[in-house]
Each structure stands twice: as C-alpha cells, then as structure tokens.
Amino acid sequence: MSEQTPQSSASTSGKTPVDFWFDPLCPWAWMTSRWVLEVEKVRDIEVRWHLMSLAVLNEDKLDELPEQYREMLETKAWGPVRVVIAAQEEHGAEVLGDLYTALGTRVHNQGEGIEKDVVARALKDVGLPDSLMDHWDSTPYEPQLRASHNEGIEKVGQEVGTPVIAVPGSDGEQIAFFGPVVTPAPQGEEAGKLWDGTLLVASVPGFYEIKRTRTKGPDFSNL
C-alpha cells in the first residue's frame, strides 16, 4: 500500500515540481494534463499526479446541479476513481501517470466513454491486474481517495473543479490554481510560454484569477 505524504515545493530530482489533481472523467483536466506533459519536454519540471473526485466535490450539492450533470456524477463518476485509487494504493503512486494517460486516451481521444469495460482495457494497457476492477462498486480505499481529493481542494478552495495544479510561488511555498483551462493543448514552445506565464502569476502575492467565457469545447485533434 502506498503512503501519502504532504506535498512540498521540493523535488528529489532537482526539477521544479508540479502537483496535478485530476478526475479521469473531466475532458478539461485531460487537456491540461497533456499540456503539462508537453511542458516537461521544454522546461525543467516534474509532474506529480494525484487523484481528485468530481463525485466527492459535488456530493453535498447534487440537488443544485442540472439533471444531466447530476445523473452523470451518480452513474459514471464513482467507479473510475475507485479503481484508480486502488491502483495507487496497491501498486504505488508511480502508476498514476501512465494509467491516467491510458484512461484519457480511450475515454477522450478515442471517444470510448467512461464505461466499466473501457477502464478495464486501460488497466490492461499499462499492465495492471484486472482484479482492480473489483473496486468499481465499492472500495476500502475511500478514505485515501477523499484524503487525496481534500489535499488538492484545500490548496485551491471549494469553488473550483478539476484540474488543480500547484506550483512554487515567490516564497517557495506552493500556489494552487484551477486550470489553466485551454483547448487545444499547447505544444512545444507554446506550452512552455503558458507555463512561464503560470509561474509569473503565481509569483504575484494576492493574484487569484483571470477568466473569460469559453467559446470552444475540448479539442483533442492534436493529441
């Protein structure tokens, strides 16, 4: 079973750490995750993956949500995160990045959806045992799931969703943001420039938000 330790701005590799919280259900988190992996190619960073849950985030306000979104959370959101947290606890946090890539590629890029058989195929893609699917309907690792979720949300606040990223601020302590929300995922030096901007705003004490209305949906065409 993996041990959860508090995240810090230090990295054993000497690279700048980026802590990233995701729910595999969210297409916007998927876009941002592909951006941050592109940043790893052009900047000296190291991504550390963590699980959060849209089901947990919204469990106390289901009655306030649109019917379609509420139904999706109730029927689609719990199974995948239960399987992923079981993978983390039984095989180590180092499996999260590859498993998330396998899941997102099938769910979002290939449009297979967040179905039970799709999650099972993603496990097979990365060599994880099918027995992890036993956690789909319930798991003894729910406390670990909630702890991982809460760690990210406590850094950024309750008014956001996924993705959440935490980066070093001006004093060395981590600053967490929701986002960046971007489509399509920037590549190459464009990805690096967005990263540079993220660090820049994180260095400004009291900076909280830049936002505009989304006019485009997730674009997976370059992934």
Side-chain angles (χ1 to χ4, degrees):
M1 181 180 296
S2 67
E3 296 183 358
Q4 296 298 298
T5 57
Q7 296 302 316
S8 73
S9 59
S11 170
T12 56
S13 69
K15 297 182 179 182
T16 300
V18 184
D19 288 294
F20 191 108
W21 281 263
F22 69 92
D23 184 318
L25 186 66
C26 179
W28 294 104
W30 174 245
M31 300 294 296
T32 306
S33 74
R34 299 311 93 180
W35 160 70
V36 80
L37 285 180
E38 194 71 12
V39 175
E40 275 195 326
K41 301 176 185 177
V42 296
R43 297 292 188 271
D44 200 24
I45 74 165
E46 177 182 58
V47 183
R48 304 187 295 201
W49 302 100
H50 310 275
L51 192 62
M52 68 174 294
S53 168
L54 291 171
V56 172
L57 182 69
N58 292 285
E59 64 182 348
D60 294 330
K61 49 188 176 185
L62 287 175
D63 291 343
E64 305 169 16
L65 300 175
E67 181 179 356
Q68 185 175 9
Y69 188 58
R70 181 174 67 249
E71 182 180 352
M72 182 270 296
L73 290 176
E74 291 174 337
T75 61
K76 304 287 188 181
W78 281 106
V81 293
R82 287 169 176 154
V83 172
V84 174
I85 198 66
Q88 172 187 294
E89 294 303 307
E90 295 182 7
H91 299 277
E94 62 273 13
V95 306
L96 287 183
D98 287 345
L99 179 54
Y100 183 29
T101 291
L103 279 168
T105 298
R106 287 187 173 277
V107 171
H108 302 298
N109 291 6
Q110 298 175 7
E112 296 180 21
I114 195 83
E115 306 297 335
K116 190 172 183 178
D117 61 327
V118 174
V119 176
R121 290 197 292 271
L123 291 175
K124 186 176 181 180
D125 289 341
V126 295
L128 289 170
D130 186 64
S131 59
L132 290 169
M133 294 302 300
D134 294 343
H135 296 269
W136 182 269
D137 293 313
S138 64
T139 180
Y141 303 125
E142 185 168 323
Q144 290 90 330
L145 168 61
R146 290 179 179 273
S148 180
H149 171 88
N150 289 335
E151 183 184 13
I153 289 298
E154 286 171 3
K155 288 178 179 291
V156 74
Q158 294 290 334
E159 298 82 17
V160 303
T162 177
V164 169
I165 63 169
V167 303
S170 58
D171 59 359
E173 294 298 318
Q174 283 193 315
I175 301 295
F177 295 111
F178 165 66
V181 176
V182 60
T183 185
Q187 297 184 335
E189 186 57 23
E190 186 181 34
K193 289 179 179 178
L194 180 55
W195 167 252
D196 297 340
T198 302
L199 284 186
L200 181 61
V201 298
S203 73
V204 179
F207 174 83
Y208 290 100
E209 184 176 7
I210 293 176
K211 190 171 183 179
R212 63 174 176 163
T213 299
R214 299 177 201 171
T215 58
K216 296 180 180 179
D219 179 356
F220 311 126
S221 62
N222 66 345
L223 299 179

